[in-house]
């Protein structure tokens, strides 16, 4: 389905393609209600509550007023609907703003000012400097003589540098006046979201006939949402408009991520649901039996002898309604609320603010903070993530001579400076390639300062270094490149650019020396891409050595080469290149094939080494997080040796002899297989030894391993705490994440560049570093942070607190619902199993909505340990990782507590309010206030730190309960008129409350104290140490004294497999941790002492 | 509004500019009403009280609770001991038959003579006011069909006479439009035994006024609502009502309609405003009308002197004593364990990662 765009055609194209009206709206005024309701009801919980609410409309079975369910249900619906509506309204407003922007468009040959939404495909659009591009355009004219223009694409891909775009070649040289009248057709692919690709052709109609199909690439387009810079005006043809633009197509709703905790809560909800069904069946049967045995004798009940056909269902349904409160209706709302607060805390955190650039951390996904606390694997990119991505040219090796080895900086090496001033031809050629073989644009500002706009940091570093060595790249005028060398001006004509792709790993340009007229091919690229292309006969050993040496220092290397092209060879090749460039299918592959043909027989000039410094605090962060039991994998596109060096320098692996690197390599399937098995064996053996073992694999071997030995590789992934994967492609990064995820590990992927986007999206948690490679990763990520070191705080502080808080909040929500539900169930035993409710509708509704949900919301401020303690003892994160605070057994504890408290409240109430006091309204309020008192104390005892807000919420809520009930009690029409005043006037009421609180909380405190003192968890010990004041000092001193020792110990200990005690998490028995344990030590073979140097 | 602006200032600092961020920070925090609270809140740095369960605290709490509970328990127990209570079950003795069918027939027959006389002996002197209760067992006033079968609106005013929907099956006479006032099963099953007391053949007056809650008389039961069509047809449930007395004055009905939460309950019948001397015999003439025989219930007559705190209920006193004693036991055992097996709190030596190389052992 190709698209044919008729340029400047006023009638045909109108109905074919959509106009430029942008609409990001999900709803319209008319369909909002049905569509929103439909979406809300697609969630199981909502369906359940709706069913309950509908059943309650049947007066025969409803135990309480239907309002007690409809109220909260409508409230919850109203809240989420309002949120949706507000978001949608904001989208509408911003759409409207964009749609009503005025633009100049040629209509019927006249330039007119119209609204952006009225642009049609095929229209000619005129833009001025600093205008925003309203739709995707193909450039046909600019103010610049070479047909160039500059655009800023930060809104599209986050890259802040300026990009050059050029007009379609067929339109070159058309007069400004004629542009109005231009006619033609553009054949382009259907709309897609690839912002790096646009393979189309253009043919102009007479009188502009060029007799030729003119190929168009992404270079000839300017896309919606970019800004025009440094160019007076441009003119373009609209090809995609409205929601069909590249930007519009790439907008999509990302798949919502579900945290492990949410999954566990859902599981527990399911369990409670099953329990509820059992209770309903048992009570329903008992109720029917009792009815037949007893109730028919109770003349005052007047059971009819003949009932309707559904009679048997009535009592079970009543119990279903009574027990429906077992699943707290408020849990989703409360969770959503606290989760968005966690996210806000991350946004607000000033300690995670990059003060240099002023970038705060940002949680784009507000729903997954708890997962941060449960991370088990971190997969990190290297460049820009661990390192600063500030490239500095440090060393080089030019035709066998090493520069910069003594001084550590080639730019200060006298030898090199002398060679430059001495005019050594090799060095000059090297510098020439350095300064012009790139896509850098020199920008001369008004006051004469030269700056470079580059898409690649490496290129910028090279150009800068060359300019410091007096080879200054001054000007790029269309195809003329000007270099200023030692005050003489050299000019080159740029003939072709063989672009860099991640597959080719090199780039070249073809230039003609304007003085001599000779044609040269200048290339630069990765060693393994350039060195094989060396001309036969050239000794490349020194270069491989240089590459090796530099890589071991952790430097990035680039090989530089050149070749002189005979005129006819170039001309011949040029034709095929042009042809390849205008193919519509597989263009990229065809082009690279053609390029390959030219890039042979190169003369290697030398190797440049570029340093990329580690970011601040990277080693410490990695060490802390490794202590916290998090495994690190490094996935990088860089070379093996560079990667290993970086890994060593940032504590990724310990140096020899404690650390050990196991290499998986090989070119063929067999080799990889053998090497994989060897590593696996070693891994199994060393697993029980205190050794720090890591495996290293490169992209090629990984490809084979993933294809043919997936199972073995998966086992290896489980066994290995550390891995270094080098030379991997973006999709392999994502695949590795997938492997770990399939083993049920919580993965966090962190990266900064476009090549990390897939891994970030694939991982449970994606973290983007808003770094120098643009914001692409940060945009795709769930969290964006300014620096790698903030990861420590993000996980240990925010992740851990969020996990703890949600664990409490969710279990507490079930506790309070179960508590009141158990009381209802017990009451049914004394009310003839007939399904009457002890509590009135108002109380039931308010219990869920006010009395019990407000105190627990302040648990978002709870801190079990101070941030400092957690940072000092990151091992404590294990409790979160293993899910110690929310799992079926802790839940059973809360279930038991609810049962116990219900028994306490019920027994005390029926005894204290027996006989003449057994008036049902009073009894119900006594039981209710018993529950309220207990829950206030439960929240209090589970709170670790009380801030003023917690006191306000817990005790204020208790007071609020009385105030609300006094108010209701003073309304004569209410069922409980005067009840609360009567009760509060009775000493026996207060005595009963006191008894309930002490009976309910006494055992809880005693048990907690016992556990705290004699079976204390690590958290408890640290709490005690922290709060008693005394030992915290010794903790600190121990920390410093034992630091070296502890480092050793921790390094030793981390090679131990995690044995999560199954007692705490029976559901996780078949998880990979169990699998880990089951790998016994393998047969003893001597593969152990391999290390990376053995290669 | 001001605090709101302040609240969101870190969002402003999203602007990639140090200076701007600083500017906003300084400007906005000075605008705040509670700048410290706000910034501390958003940085999660509010000063907090962090109690922990030290042995000293826990033992002290349990000792204090124990002592307080025993004291309150003793008080309550003392108070409940001083309550004199006479309980007499009369349902079995007051029927001439033992066969259930005959009893049912007898009790349902309105013409049969159901007078019955019992004698109670006062053990200790009972001071006035003496409350007269009837106590029913196995009577489910809390049954779902029963407890909702009433119309509060109808009881309140004549305007809502026809609102009998909730009252089914006792709503209208013979299913036509004549409403029953008061409608519903509760009113229909009104308790209708009566008691007449005499000591040494001298009649002791039972005051049947002021037995219902004042709020019920004043508000819930209308002073202009008179019984209508009550117990007039169909099956006769419990007692009948005098149609010339408004509902607000029918206190026995008001008491009955305050439904009990349990199947055993007492309801106030009246008050005796004279003292009863010790060892005196009270003769009670009972009209044994109310049918509890069909479902095997029990009926008791209770005379009781009231008391300020716990009524006639010994439960609270006992419970307090037990709980108090138990918490003392807990306190003592905690003290003993603490003395025998002291364990320094917060000793970093207990952190396994300080002690052993393995972090994750448990």
């Amino acid at each position: 389905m190709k698209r044919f765009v008729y340029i400047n055609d006023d009638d045909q194209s109108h109905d074919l393609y959509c106009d430029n009206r942008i609409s990001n709206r999900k709803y319209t005024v008319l369909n909002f209600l049905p569509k929103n309701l439909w979406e809300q009801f697609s969630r199981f919980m909502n369906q359940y509550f709706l069913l309950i609410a509908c059943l309650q409309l049947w007066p025969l079975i409803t135990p309480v007023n239907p309002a007690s369910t409809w109220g909260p249900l409508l409230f919850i619906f109203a809240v989420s609907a309002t949120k949706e509506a507000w978001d949608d309204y904001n989208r509408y407003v911003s759409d409207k703003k964009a749609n009503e922007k005025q633009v100049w468009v040629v209509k019927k040959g006249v330039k007119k000012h119209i609204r952006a939404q009225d642009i049609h495909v095929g229209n000619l659009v005129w833009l001025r400097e600093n205008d925003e591009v309203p739709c995707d355009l193909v450039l046909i004219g600019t103010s610049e003589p070479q047909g160039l223009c500059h655009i800023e694409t930060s809104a599209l891909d986050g890259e802040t540098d300026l990009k050059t775009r050029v007009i379609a070649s067929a339109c070159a040289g058309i007069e400004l006046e004629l542009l109005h009248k231009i006619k033609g057709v553009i054949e382009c692919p259907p709309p897609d979201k690839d912002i790096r690709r646009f393979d189309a052709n253009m043919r102009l109609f007479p009188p502009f006939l060029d007799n030729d199909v003119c190929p168009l690439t992404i270079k000839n387009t300017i896309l919606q949402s970019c800004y025009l810079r440094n160019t007076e005006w441009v003119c373009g043809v609209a090809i995609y408009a409205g929601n069909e633009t590249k930007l519009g197509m790439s907008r999509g709703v990302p798949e919502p991520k579900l945290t492990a905790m949410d999954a566990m809560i859902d599981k527990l909800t399911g369990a409670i649901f099953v329990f509820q069904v059992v209770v309903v069946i048992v009570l329903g049967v008992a109720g029917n039996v009792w009815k037949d045995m007893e109730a028919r004798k109770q003349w005052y009940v007047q059971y009819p002898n003949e009932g309707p056909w559904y009679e048997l269902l009535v009592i079970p349904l009543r119990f279903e309604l009574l027990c429906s409160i077992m699943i707290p209706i408020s849990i989703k709302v409360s969770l959503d609320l606290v989760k968005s607060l966690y996210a806000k805390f991350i946004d607000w955190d000033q300690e995670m603010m990059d003060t240099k650039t002023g970038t705060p951390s940002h949680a784009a996904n507000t729903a997954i903070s708890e997962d941060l606390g449960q991370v088990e694997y971190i997969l990190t990119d290297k460049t820009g993530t661990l390192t600063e991505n500030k490239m500095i040219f440090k060393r080089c090796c030019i035709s066998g001579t090493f520069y910069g080895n003594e001084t550590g900086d080639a730019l200060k090496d006298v030898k090199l400076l002398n060679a430059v001033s001495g005019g050594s031809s090799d060095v000059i050629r090297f510098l020439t390639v350095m300064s012009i073989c790139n896509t850098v644009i020199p920008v001369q500002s008004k006051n004469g300062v030269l700056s470079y706009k580059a898409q690649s940091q490496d290129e910028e570093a090279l150009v800068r270094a060359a300019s410091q060595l007096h080879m200054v790249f001054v000007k790029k005028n269309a195809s003329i490149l000007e270099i200023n060398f030692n005050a003489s001006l050299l000019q080159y004509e740029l003939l072709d650019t063989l672009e860099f792709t991640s597959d080719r790993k090199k780039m070249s340009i073809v230039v003609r020396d304007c003085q001599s007229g000779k044609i040269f091919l200048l290339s630069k690229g990765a060693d393994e891409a350039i060195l094989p292309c060396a001309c036969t006969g050239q000794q490349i050993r020194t270069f491989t050595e240089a590459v090796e040496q530099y890589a071991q220092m952790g430097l990035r290397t680039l090989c530089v080469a050149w070749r002189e092209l005979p005129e006819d060879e170039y001309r011949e090749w040029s034709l095929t290149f042009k042809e390849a460039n205008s193919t519509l299918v597989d263009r990229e592959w065809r082009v690279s094939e053609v390029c390959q043909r030219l890039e042979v027989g190169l003369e290697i000039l030398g190797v440049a080494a570029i340093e990329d410094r580690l970011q601040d605090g990277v080693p410490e962060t990695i060490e802390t997080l490794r202590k916290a039991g998090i495994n690190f994998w490094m996935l990088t596109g860089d070379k093996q040796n560079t990667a290993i060096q970086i890994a060593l320098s940032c504590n990724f692996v310990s140096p020899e002899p404690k650390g050990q690197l196991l290499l998986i390599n090989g070119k063929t399937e067999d080799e990889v297989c053998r090497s994989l098995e060897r590593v696996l064996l070693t891994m199994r053996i060393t697993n029980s030894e205190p050794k720090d073992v890591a495996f290293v694999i490169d992209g090629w071997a990984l490809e084979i391993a993933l294809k043919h030995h997936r199972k073995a590789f998966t086992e290896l992934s489980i066994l290995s705490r550390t891995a270094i994967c080098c030379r991997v492609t973006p999709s392999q990064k994502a695949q590795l994440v997938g492997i770990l995820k399939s083993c049920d590990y919580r993965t966090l992927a962190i990266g900064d560049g476009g090549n990390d986007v897939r891994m970030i999206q694939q991982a449970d948690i994606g973290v983007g570093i808003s770094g120098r490679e643009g914001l692409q990763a940060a945009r795709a990520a769930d969290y964006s942070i300014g620096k790698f070191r903030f990861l420590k705080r993000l996980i240990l502080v925010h992740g851990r607190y969020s996990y703890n808080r949600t664990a409490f909040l969710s279990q507490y929500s079930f506790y309070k619902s179960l508590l009141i539900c158990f009381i209802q169930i017990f009451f049914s035993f004394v009310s003839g199993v007939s399904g009457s409710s002890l509590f009135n509708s108002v109380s039931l509704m308010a219990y869920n909505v006010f009395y019990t949900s407000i105190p627990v919301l302040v648990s978002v401020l709870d801190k079990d340990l101070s941030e400092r303690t957690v940072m000092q003892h990151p091992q404590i994160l294990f409790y979160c990782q293993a899910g110690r605070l929310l799992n079926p057994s802790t839940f059973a504890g809360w279930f038991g507590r609810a049962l116990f408290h219900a028994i306490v409240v019920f027994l005390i109430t029926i005894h204290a309010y027996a006989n003449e006091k057994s008036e049902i309204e009073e009894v119900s309020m006594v039981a209710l206030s018993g529950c309220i008192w207990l829950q206030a104390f439960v929240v209090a005892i589970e709170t670790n730190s009380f801030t003023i807000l917690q006191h306000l919420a817990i005790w204020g809520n208790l007071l609020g309960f009385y105030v609300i009930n006094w108010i209701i009690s003073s309304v004569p029409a209410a069922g409980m008129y005067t009840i609360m005043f009567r009760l509060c006037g009775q000493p026996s009421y207060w005595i009963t409350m006191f008894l309930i609180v002490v009976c309910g909380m006494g055992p809880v405190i005693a048990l907690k104290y016992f556990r705290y003192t004699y079976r204390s968890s690590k958290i408890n010990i640290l709490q005690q140490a922290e709060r008693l004041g005394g030992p915290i000092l010794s903790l600190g001193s121990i920390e410093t004294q034992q630091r070296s020792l502890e480092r050793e110990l921790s390094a030793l200990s981390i090679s131990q497999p995690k044995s999560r005690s199954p007692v705490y998490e029976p559901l996780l028995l078949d998880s990979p941790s169990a699998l880990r344990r089951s790998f016994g030590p393998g047969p003893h073979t001597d593969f152990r002492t391999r290390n990376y140097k053995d290669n | 509004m001001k605090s709101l602006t302040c609240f969101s200032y870190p969002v402003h600092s999203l602007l990639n500019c140090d200076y701007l961020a600083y500017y906003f920070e300084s400007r906005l925090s000075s605008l705040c009403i509670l700048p410290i609270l706000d910034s501390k809140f958003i940085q999660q740095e509010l000063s907090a009280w962090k109690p922990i369960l030290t042995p000293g605290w826990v033992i002290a709490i349990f000792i204090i609770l124990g002592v307080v509970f025993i004291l309150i328990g003793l008080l309550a127990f003392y108070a409940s001991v001083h309550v004199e209570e006479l309980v007499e079950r009369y349902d079995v003795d007051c029927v001439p038959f033992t066969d259930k069918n005959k009893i049912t027939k007898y009790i349902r027959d309105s013409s049969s003579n159901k007078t019955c006389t019992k004698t109670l002996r006062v053990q200790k002197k009972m001071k006035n006011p003496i409350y007269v209760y009837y106590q029913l067992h196995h009577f489910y006033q809390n049954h779902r069909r029963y407890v909702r079968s009433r119309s509060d609106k109808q009881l309140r005013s004549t305007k809502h006479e026809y609102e009998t929907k909730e009252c089914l099956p006792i709503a209208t006479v013979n299913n036509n439009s004549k409403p029953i006032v008061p409608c519903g099963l509760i009113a229909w099953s009104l308790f209708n035994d009566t008691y007449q007391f005499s000591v040494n053949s001298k009649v002791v007056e039972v005051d049947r006024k002021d037995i219902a809650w004042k709020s019920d008389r004043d508000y819930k039961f209308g002073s202009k609502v008179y019984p209508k069509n009550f117990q007039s047809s169909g099956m006769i449930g419990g007692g009948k009502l005098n149609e010339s007395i408004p509902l607000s004055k029918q206190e026995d009905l008001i008491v009955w309609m305050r439904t009990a939460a349990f199947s055993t309950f007492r309801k106030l019948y009246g008050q005796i405003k004279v003292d009863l001397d010790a060892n005196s015999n009270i003769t009670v003439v009972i009209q044994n009308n109310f049918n509890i025989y069909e479902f095997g219930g029990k009926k008791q007559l209770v005379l009781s002197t009231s008391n300020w705190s716990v009524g006639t209920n010994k439960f609270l006193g006992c419970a307090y004593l037990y709980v108090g004693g138990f918490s003392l036991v807990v306190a003592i055992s905690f003290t003993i364990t603490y003395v025998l097996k002291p364990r320094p709190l917060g000793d970093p030596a207990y952190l396994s990662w300080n002690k052993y190389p393995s972090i994750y052992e448990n």
Side-chain angles (χ1 to χ4, degrees), chain A residues 59-63 290 294 297-304 318 345 348-351 353 355-358 360 627-629 798 805 827 830-832 834-836 861 863 866 873 875-876 878 884 908 910-913 915-923 944-947 949 951 972 975 977-979 982 987-988 991-992 994-995 998-999 1002 1006 1008-1009 1012-1014 1016 1018 1021-1022 1024-1028 1031 1035 1038 1046 1049 1053 1058-1059 1061, chain B residues 7-11 13-18 21 25 37 41-55 58 62 65 68-69 72 100 108 133 135 138-140 142-148 156 169-170 185 188-189 213 215 219-220 235 237-238 258-266 290-291 294-295 308-313 315-316 319-320 323 330 334 337-338 341 343 345-348 350-354 357-362:
Chain A
L60 182 67
I61 60 169
T62 178
W290 197 88
E294 292 287 327
K297 290 189 221 149
Q298 313 270 4
W299 55 269
Y300 53 88
V301 180
Q302 284 205 352
Y303 251 116
R318 278 182 196 156
F345 280 139
W348 287 333
D349 196 334
Q350 292 205 304
E351 284 183 44
M353 170 124 135
T355 42
K356 258 187 215 146
T357 56
K627 257 203 227 166
H798 290 286
R805 290 161 181 174
F827 180 69
V830 299
S831 65
S834 59
S836 16
L861 292 172
K863 290 172 158 188
S866 75
H873 299 274
Q875 292 92 333
I876 209 73
F878 172 64
R884 283 283 175 84
I908 292 179
I910 66 169
H911 282 108
Y913 276 73
N915 296 339
E916 73 274 13
K917 286 181 169 173
S918 65
E919 202 280 317
I920 195 163
E921 300 273 359
E922 280 192 3
V923 169
N944 294 294
S945 62
F946 292 87
T947 65
L949 290 175
H951 283 302
Y977 180 49
T978 71
I979 297 286
R982 296 176 72 89
S988 61
I991 293 181
T992 311
F994 192 31
L995 185 65
V998 172
C999 290
K1008 194 172 159 125
Y1009 163 75
Y1012 201 76
T1013 317
Y1014 298 102
S1016 40
K1018 310 287 178 285
I1021 294 171
L1022 288 178
Q1024 291 158 359
E1026 176 186 305
R1027 285 168 207 178
L1028 290 177
L1035 258 187
I1038 283 173
E1046 214 178 290
L1049 290 180
S1053 59
K1058 286 194 248 175
S1059 54
S1061 165
Chain B
F7 208 68
S8 58
Y9 81 76
V11 184
S13 54
L14 270 169
L15 294 164
N16 280 359
C17 178
D18 259 350
E25 194 175 327
L37 179 77
F41 171 73
I42 62 174
Q43 294 300 317
Q44 304 190 66
E45 278 168 357
L46 285 174
S47 57
W49 176 55
K50 300 174 174 179
I52 55 166
L53 295 171
T54 56
V58 173
F62 276 101
L65 278 183
V68 169
F69 263 65
I72 297 178
K100 205 174 168 188
R108 279 195 176 161
Y133 298 99
Q135 177 163 348
H138 208 57
F139 188 96
Y140 288 88
N142 55 13
H143 193 281
R144 194 179 175 284
R145 267 179 82 84
Y146 187 85
V147 74
R148 297 164 67 102
R156 204 177 303 142
I170 308 294
L185 285 170
W188 175 75
S189 62
W213 296 2
S215 60
Y219 185 78
K220 290 216 144 179
M235 195 171 136
R258 276 270 155 208
T259 46
F262 312 114
S263 61
T264 298
F265 58 89
R266 280 177 194 181
F290 198 68
N291 178 9
E294 243 175 280
F295 51 84
W308 57 270
S309 63
V310 283
T312 55
N313 193 329
F315 167 78
L316 282 175
Y320 263 76
V323 172
V330 170
F334 276 171
T337 27
Y338 181 66
K341 203 182 160 197
R343 192 175 158 116
L345 288 180
D347 190 343
Y350 289 114
L351 289 173
S352 58
W353 57 80
N354 280 347
S358 162
I359 306 172
Y360 301 118
E361 65 154 51
N362 292 293

Side-chain angles (χ1 to χ4, degrees), chain A residues 135 177 207 395 425 505 625 923:
Chain A
C135 58
E177 294 77 38
R395 290 161 200 244
S425 67
K505 288 176 186 159
L625 290 176
V923 169

Side-chain angles (χ1 to χ4, degrees), chain A residues 521-786:
Chain A
L521 173 77
L522 311 182
S523 296
K524 72 170 201 307
D527 54 302
E528 83 269 23
I530 295 281
L531 293 181
C533 307
C535 59
T536 42
Q538 195 186 1
Q539 279 296 334
I540 58 166
R541 253 192 69 200
T542 43
F543 297 117
T544 37
E545 271 168 21
V547 167
E548 189 96 332
Q549 190 188 342
Y550 291 145
Q552 282 195 18
M553 285 181 248
L555 300 174
R556 297 158 72 91
T557 53
L558 278 175
C559 287
V560 171
W562 90 331
R563 171 159 88 97
E564 193 182 330
L565 295 178
E567 185 85 30
D568 44 342
E569 185 195 345
Y570 168 68
R571 211 169 293 143
E572 196 180 312
W573 174 84
S574 170
L575 288 175
T576 52
F577 186 60
K578 215 170 250 167
E579 190 191 331
N581 257 330
S582 56
T583 42
L584 279 181
V585 268
D586 283 337
R587 182 184 289 179
E588 201 177 298
W589 181 81
R590 286 281 307 277
V591 168
S592 85
E593 197 197 37
V594 173
C595 292
Q596 209 67 42
R597 246 182 268 164
L598 196 67
E599 291 161 333
V600 288
L602 298 173
E603 182 189 342
I604 312 291
L605 293 172
V607 180
I610 298 168
E611 184 195 52
D612 188 8
R613 287 225 330 268
L614 276 189
Q615 280 187 25
D616 286 346
V618 167
E620 292 82 3
T621 305
I622 291 183
E623 191 193 332
T624 311
L625 290 176
R626 272 163 63 88
K627 257 203 227 166
I630 297 176
N631 305 331
F632 267 92
W633 283 28
M634 182 159 89
L635 316 180
T636 176
D638 233 327
K639 261 184 304 305
Q640 186 164 303
N641 285 353
T642 319
I644 288 172
Q645 279 314 311
I646 293 281
L648 282 171
S649 64
C650 59
N651 279 346
F652 220 81
V653 283
S654 320
E656 292 273 312
K658 226 173 55 205
Q660 190 179 350
L661 288 171
L662 306 166
L663 238 63
I664 301 169
N665 47 18
K667 292 274 167 239
T668 64
E669 205 193 313
D670 271 358
E671 281 170 38
V672 172
C673 174
R674 252 178 284 137
S675 136
L676 184 66
E677 266 165 17
R678 206 167 49 215
V679 169
L680 205 51
L681 267 176
T682 324
M683 235 9 142
R684 285 182 192 144
I685 298 161
T686 47
N687 215 17
S688 50
E689 284 172 30
K691 269 216 159 188
D692 194 6
V693 188
F695 76 84
V696 182
I697 191 166
D698 65 4
W700 182 255
L702 186 66
E703 182 85 42
I704 296 171
L706 286 179
K707 211 183 242 167
H708 303 286
H709 308 285
R710 209 184 169 86
K711 223 179 131 211
F713 188 76
T714 309
E715 194 193 331
L716 184 67
S717 321
I718 294 166
L719 282 169
S720 166
R721 283 181 49 93
T722 312
I724 298 167
C725 306
C726 26
R727 298 283 185 210
V728 288
T729 61
S731 68
Q732 281 179 326
K733 288 183 178 185
Q735 272 181 309
L736 286 169
V737 171
I739 283 193
L740 289 174
K741 265 177 89 178
S742 70
C743 302
D744 252 354
Y745 285 116
R746 290 274 122 189
T747 52
L748 181 149
I750 178 167
D752 74 319
N755 58 345
D756 305 314
V757 169
R758 287 185 60 183
M759 144 174 113
I760 282 171
Q761 281 170 339
Q762 170 85 23
D764 292 312
I765 307 160
V767 179
I769 293 200
S770 18
R772 296 165 63 90
E773 269 187 45
L775 291 169
Q776 231 176 323
R779 256 160 223 258
D782 302 310
Y783 296 93
S784 66
I785 53 179

